[in-house]
Amino acid sequence: KVLSDTGEIYRDKDQGYGYVDTPKTKAVYGFHTGEEEKLTDLTIRCENDFATIALSSLSDEPIHTSENILLTAVGRADNTDAVYNETHTSLIQDGHAPVLIDVIEAEIQIRTTHNNLVVYPVNDEGFFMGALDSTYEDGVLKFKIGENLPSMYYLIQAL
C-alpha cells in the first residue's frame, strides 16, 4: 500500500484499487466492492466490480465550487473478437472494431455550492444525449449513471 505525503493519492497493489483526491480532480480506480467510497466532496457507490470513475473541474475552481465538471466512467474495454491466452495476460488476436466497453453503473454524490447543476451524458461524437435525473439537497448533487443514457463521459454544468 502506498499513500502520498499529502494523502491525496493512494494505491493498494494487492487489492487492485486506488484513488486520487485533490481539489480539482477526484478518482477511484480498480476493483470495487459495491460499498460507498468517500473522497473529499465526492461519494461513489459503483455497481461494477472493475471501473475507473474520475471527476475533473474544467475551470480554475475546485470541484465543490466549479460550474463546469467532467465525469469520466470507464471499465473493461476490448475489440470485438479479441483473443487472449488463458490468464488474459497476452493478446493472441487483435480483434476488430467496434470496441466493446462495459457500461458503468454507479451512484454519484457531489458536494457543491451550486444548486443548478445539470448532468449531460455525452455520446461518442461529443453531443449531449439529454439530461440525467438528479437531485440537490443539503448541498449535495445526487444522480446515477449507467441506467439511463449510458456513456463514458458526463458533462456537469450550471444552467
Side-chain angles (χ1 to χ4, degrees):
K1 297 178 184 181
V2 178
L3 180 64
S4 68
D5 293 347
T6 63
E8 295 174 324
I9 302 172
Y10 171 80
R11 180 175 181 213
D12 183 334
K13 184 178 176 186
D14 292 336
Q15 296 294 319
Y17 175 80
Y19 66 76
V20 175
D21 191 2
T22 69
K24 294 182 184 178
T25 299
K26 302 186 181 301
V28 294
Y29 62 90
F31 292 94
H32 303 273
T33 63
E35 301 294 318
E36 279 191 352
E37 301 169 63
K38 294 185 179 204
L39 303 177
T40 307
D41 300 324
L42 176 65
T43 302
I44 296 171
R45 182 187 307 270
C46 184
E47 299 299 324
N48 300 67
D49 67 335
F50 181 81
T52 297
I53 300 174
L55 201 63
S56 302
S57 174
L58 297 178
S59 70
D60 288 334
E61 297 290 321
I63 287 170
H64 78 277
T65 59
S66 181
E67 293 185 339
N68 197 14
I69 303 166
L70 177 65
L71 173 69
T72 304
V74 295
R76 292 178 178 91
D78 217 334
N79 285 342
T80 299
D81 295 329
V83 177
Y84 293 85
N85 65 352
E86 285 184 22
T87 57
H88 208 79
T89 56
S90 180
L91 181 65
I92 296 170
Q93 191 170 8
D94 291 341
H96 54 84
V99 175
L100 305 173
I101 63 169
D102 284 349
V103 172
I104 303 304
E105 294 186 14
E107 296 175 15
I108 310 291
Q109 298 179 35
I110 304 169
R111 180 158 300 283
T112 176
T113 58
H114 300 288
N115 64 359
N116 62 340
L117 294 176
V118 179
V119 182
Y120 299 104
V122 179
N123 70 15
D124 60 346
E125 295 178 344
F127 295 104
F128 290 169
M129 298 188 297
L132 292 184
D133 291 336
S134 64
T135 61
Y136 181 83
E137 186 177 324
D138 298 326
V140 178
L141 176 70
K142 297 178 184 179
F143 58 95
K144 291 182 179 182
I145 61 170
E147 289 180 348
N148 298 311
L149 304 172
S151 178
M152 287 177 32
Y153 305 107
Y154 300 84
L155 194 56
I156 305 166
Q157 290 186 320
L159 285 176

